[in-house]
């Protein structure tokens, strides 16, 4: 709560602080402290209440320049639709939403360390962290031993009053959450899936920690926001299938891995689509500056809280306003037929993308190539305590639809999107001529001469839309993409903003947890 507020204040904004309806008292104290620290009273206003009577009217007010939101994916989508309808087209939304977070424990992991981190990740804060572990995959070779240790360790947990220092698991947030989680546990128990559970105090909003058996993450319809852990098993040769199953769910918040094989760590880092990856430690408790926090896909919009690109998002870029020129109307079929493959030529993994673009451009698009070159795509080492390695890198978002509308803007958008490793479909009057230096060079790029009705692009499989037209035209584009199903697709309206075309991914490794020379262990 205070992180979001402080970020908005330090970048020169005024703030309406609307906390979750269950937490008005601590929010009141936080705002009180900010005012005591010198923040003027008319710069920060506390407005508690529920979403229907307070949150909805706030986000519908045309004076709101942006929303920073933590909550469900569904509500984040509603907020984006509302901003597209009533706010300025470049009004920001930073949404941190939920996730079906997984952890994998292979046969080389140290079981004591793994169990310690499983308990913390799944049951600390009664499982009420968006980063909490929901689905645990254990390699079959060590499954029996791991589950025995997990059940034994669970029995040592104390469920009770959080004021007591001896308490490990406290209450859930309200009666509604308690009822929903208990009903879910009862249903899974009747299905014969129960592996272990504890007893909870009868008085108070407590839910006992539960562990259930599942075949895999594909059985999970939704996140159960409480002390509920699901366990699946896998064979050693099924690792890639497990990675694919996790990615298919569309979430991408946190991921945990316990292994002593360095090559396997890199395999997961390269393969898993998650904003925060934790190796040989728990997957909760991200620290500002060390583990910038935030997800991708259904788990959030970025940029990461506590990361190098967070504060910039709270500031407006230069006003756009170029009119779209005349051209033939591009149809949805034409768009889909020309959409390039992000994997073409291995572009998304090439480390020399900036150099290749410079070679082809021969001085064109200097501002855009300079802005892209100034971004460190990583891996960048971040500060942290001794025994912990923290890195941040930028990864391609996937497919980018660049709409210009003028030639110079279209070239700038295309350069930045390609520099980040994306595939680009550029559509604008004169697009082939504007991008002639880059087309036909084996890049994942297609250019269409014409103008498209945004409605034609509604079902196009793109991950980012770049458009710097007039506010009236930009509003139409944003309303269309806000109405799409699936993850929120960002509209990049600022001409130069290379970080907007990439996902941030943070990796945290406990380097003290190897338990010996891990490099001596072979994946075989």
């Amino acid at each position: 709560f205070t992180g979001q507020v402080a970020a908005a204040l330090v970048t020169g904004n005024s703030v309406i602080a609307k906390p979750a309806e269950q937490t008005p008292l601590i929010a009141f104290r936080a705002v009180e402290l900010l005012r005591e620290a010198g923040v003027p009273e008319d710069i920060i206003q506390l407005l508690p209440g529920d979403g229907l009577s307070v949150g909805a009217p706030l986000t519908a007010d045309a004076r709101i320049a942006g929303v920073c939101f933590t909550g469900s994916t569904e509500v984040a989508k509603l907020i984006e639709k509302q901003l597209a309808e009533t706010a300025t087209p470049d009004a920001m939304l930073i949404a941190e939403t939920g996730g079906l977070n997984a952890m994998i424990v292979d046969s080389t992991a140290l079981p004591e360390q793994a169990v310690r981190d499983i308990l913390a990740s799944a049951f600390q804060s009664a499982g009420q962290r968006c980063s909490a572990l929901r689905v645990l995959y254990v390699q079959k070779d060590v499954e029996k031993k791991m589950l025995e240790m997990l059940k034994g360790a669970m029995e040592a947990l104390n469920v009770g009053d959080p004021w007591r220092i001896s308490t490990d698991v406290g209450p859930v947030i309200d009666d509604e959450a308690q009822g929903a989680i208990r009903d879910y546990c009862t249903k899974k128990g009747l299905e014969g899936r129960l592996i272990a559970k504890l007893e909870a105090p009868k008085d108070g909003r407590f839910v006992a920690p539960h562990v259930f058996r599942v075949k895999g993450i594909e059985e999970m319809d939704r996140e159960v926001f409480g002390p509920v852990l699901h366990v699946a098993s896998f064979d050693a040769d099924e690792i890639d299938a497990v990675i694919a199953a996790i990615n298919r769910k569309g979430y991408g918040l946190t991921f945990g891995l316990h292994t002593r094989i360095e090559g396997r760590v890199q395999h997961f880092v390269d393969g898993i689509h998650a904003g925060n990856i934790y190796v040989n430690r728990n997957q909760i408790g991200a620290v500002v500056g060390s583990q910038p926090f935030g997800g991708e896909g259904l788990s959030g919009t970025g940029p990461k809280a506590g990361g190098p690109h967070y504060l910039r998002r709270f500031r407006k870029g230069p006003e756009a306003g170029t009119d779209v020129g005349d051209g033939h109307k591009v149809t949805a079929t034409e768009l889909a037929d020309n959409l390039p493959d992000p994997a073409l030529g291995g572009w998304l993994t090439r480390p020399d993308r900036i150099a290749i673009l410079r070679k082809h451009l021969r001085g064109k698009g200097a501002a855009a190539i300079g802005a892209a070159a100034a971004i460190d795509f990583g891996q960048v080492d971040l500060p942290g305590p001794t025994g912990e390695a923290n890195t941040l890198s930028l990864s391609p978002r996937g497919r980018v639809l660049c709409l210009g509308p003028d030639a110079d803007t279209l070239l700038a958008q295309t350069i930045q999107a390609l520099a980040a490793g994306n595939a680009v479909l550029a559509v604008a009057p004169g697009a082939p001529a504007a991008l002639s230096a880059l087309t036909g060079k084996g890049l994942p790029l297609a250019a269409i001469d014409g103008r498209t009705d945004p409605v034609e692009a509604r079902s196009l499989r793109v991950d980012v839309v770049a458009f710097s037209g007039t506010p009236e035209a930009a509003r139409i584009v944003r309303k269309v993409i806000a109405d799409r199903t699936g993850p929120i697709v960002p509209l990049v309206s600022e001409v130069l903003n290379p970080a907007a075309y990439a996902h941030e991914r943070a990796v945290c490794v406990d380097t003290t947890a190897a338990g010996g020379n891990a490099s001596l262990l072979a994946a075989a």
Side-chain angles (χ1 to χ4, degrees):
F1 179 74
T2 51
Q4 293 173 342
V5 170
L9 290 174
V10 78
T11 46
N13 302 285
S14 59
V15 173
I16 297 174
K18 189 265 176 222
E21 61 188 84
Q22 300 94 338
T23 62
L25 297 181
I26 192 67
F28 173 79
R29 183 62 184 132
V31 171
E32 199 174 46
L33 287 168
L34 284 164
R35 287 178 172 169
E36 286 178 23
V39 178
E41 208 169 288
D42 58 346
I43 296 301
I44 179 168
Q45 294 289 328
L46 177 70
L47 199 54
D50 62 21
L52 190 62
S53 61
V54 176
L58 273 178
T59 57
D61 194 304
R63 294 171 292 176
I64 294 294
V67 175
C68 200
F69 170 76
T70 300
S72 71
T73 305
E74 293 76 19
V75 174
K77 290 280 289 183
L78 291 174
I79 293 173
E80 171 64 7
K81 287 183 180 181
Q82 185 62 68
L83 291 177
E85 189 72 36
T86 54
T88 59
D90 61 349
M92 74 149 204
L93 170 62
I94 298 178
E96 296 179 23
T97 51
L100 283 175
N101 308 310
M103 177 189 287
I104 290 180
V105 177
D106 75 6
S107 60
T108 72
L110 293 177
E112 295 85 358
Q113 291 174 349
V115 167
R116 173 199 66 190
D117 294 336
I118 291 164
L119 289 180
S121 299
F123 302 134
Q124 201 172 97
S125 305
Q128 298 167 112
R129 293 173 181 248
C130 51
S131 54
L133 170 60
R134 307 302 181 194
V135 184
L136 171 68
Y137 282 89
V138 181
Q139 191 169 326
K140 288 180 180 177
D141 307 70
V142 294
E143 179 185 12
K144 183 177 179 182
K145 180 179 181 180
M146 282 293 304
L147 290 181
E148 286 177 357
M149 290 187 68
L150 179 61
K151 287 188 280 189
M154 280 182 65
E155 291 173 3
L157 293 176
N158 183 22
V159 182
D161 187 345
W163 282 110
R164 297 174 184 161
I165 198 167
S166 60
T167 295
D168 300 298
V169 181
V172 294
I173 195 165
D174 58 21
D175 291 335
E176 183 181 359
Q178 182 189 38
I181 300 166
R182 280 183 172 177
D183 289 347
Y184 179 86
C185 291
T186 299
K187 178 185 175 185
K188 291 299 175 185
L190 292 173
E191 293 174 2
R193 295 173 179 263
L194 184 66
I195 294 175
K197 72 171 184 176
L198 300 182
E199 294 300 321
K202 293 182 180 178
D203 296 326
R205 295 189 180 98
F206 295 97
V207 177
H210 283 68
V211 181
F212 295 108
R213 167 78 64 185
V214 292
K215 292 180 180 178
I217 197 169
E218 60 273 10
E219 289 191 12
M220 300 288 295
D221 295 327
R222 60 181 176 86
E223 180 181 27
V224 180
F225 206 73
V228 181
L229 175 64
H230 305 82
V231 178
S233 60
F234 68 97
D235 286 313
D237 60 356
E238 295 177 330
I239 283 179
D240 287 336
V242 172
I243 292 174
I246 294 170
N247 288 339
R248 273 197 302 271
K249 292 304 290 186
Y251 294 92
L253 191 54
T254 67
F255 172 78
L257 173 65
H258 272 263
T259 181
R260 286 190 285 167
I261 302 172
E262 291 181 9
R264 184 162 292 170
V265 172
Q266 193 58 49
H267 185 70
F268 277 98
V269 169
D270 293 339
I272 286 287
H273 300 165
N276 290 73
I277 297 176
Y278 298 93
V279 181
N280 293 330
R281 55 150 286 175
N282 68 61
Q283 62 195 73
I284 58 174
V287 176
V288 168
S290 293
Q291 300 111 30
F293 186 75
E296 58 192 70
L298 295 171
S299 293
T301 60
K304 284 182 170 296
H309 305 291
Y310 191 61
L311 293 182
R312 173 171 179 163
R313 193 68 182 93
F314 287 83
R315 307 193 68 167
K316 290 174 71 73
E319 291 288 337
T322 309
D323 288 318
V324 180
D326 292 327
H328 94 274
K329 187 175 180 180
V330 181
T331 65
T333 301
E334 193 174 355
L335 291 171
D337 289 346
N338 284 276
L339 192 63
D341 183 358
L344 180 66
W347 181 251
L348 73 170
T349 58
R350 292 197 63 152
D352 57 348
R353 294 191 295 257
I354 300 289
I356 292 172
L357 292 172
R358 282 191 193 277
K359 182 183 73 173
H360 294 320
L361 288 165
R362 299 172 67 88
K364 295 179 180 178
I369 199 72
I375 295 290
D376 198 334
F377 287 90
Q379 296 180 344
V380 175
D381 291 328
L382 299 176
T386 300
E388 186 176 275
N390 293 292
T391 58
L392 180 70
S393 60
L394 300 184
S395 300
R397 284 183 174 263
R399 294 179 172 90
V400 180
L401 176 63
C402 295
L403 299 176
D406 60 272
D408 289 342
T409 300
L410 187 71
L411 179 61
Q413 294 166 346
T414 301
I415 290 170
Q416 293 170 93
L418 287 173
N422 300 288
V424 175
L425 176 59
V427 183
L435 304 178
S436 59
L438 297 174
T439 52
K441 303 295 193 302
L443 305 176
L445 168 65
I448 301 177
D449 188 352
R451 56 184 295 169
T452 182
D453 182 339
V455 175
E456 295 288 329
R458 188 193 302 273
S459 59
L460 193 65
R461 291 170 47 240
V462 293
D463 304 287
V464 180
V465 176
F467 180 66
S468 299
T470 61
E472 295 77 15
R475 183 185 301 281
I476 295 171
V477 173
R478 185 166 183 180
K479 286 172 68 174
V480 169
I481 62 175
D483 200 39
R484 292 164 54 102
T485 58
I488 294 171
V489 174
L491 172 64
V492 180
S493 58
E494 195 173 347
V495 176
L496 295 179
N497 188 4
Y501 296 90
H503 286 304
E504 296 172 274
R505 290 180 180 163
V507 179
C508 177
V509 181
D510 182 353
T511 57
T512 69
N517 189 346
S519 65
L520 297 177
L521 292 168

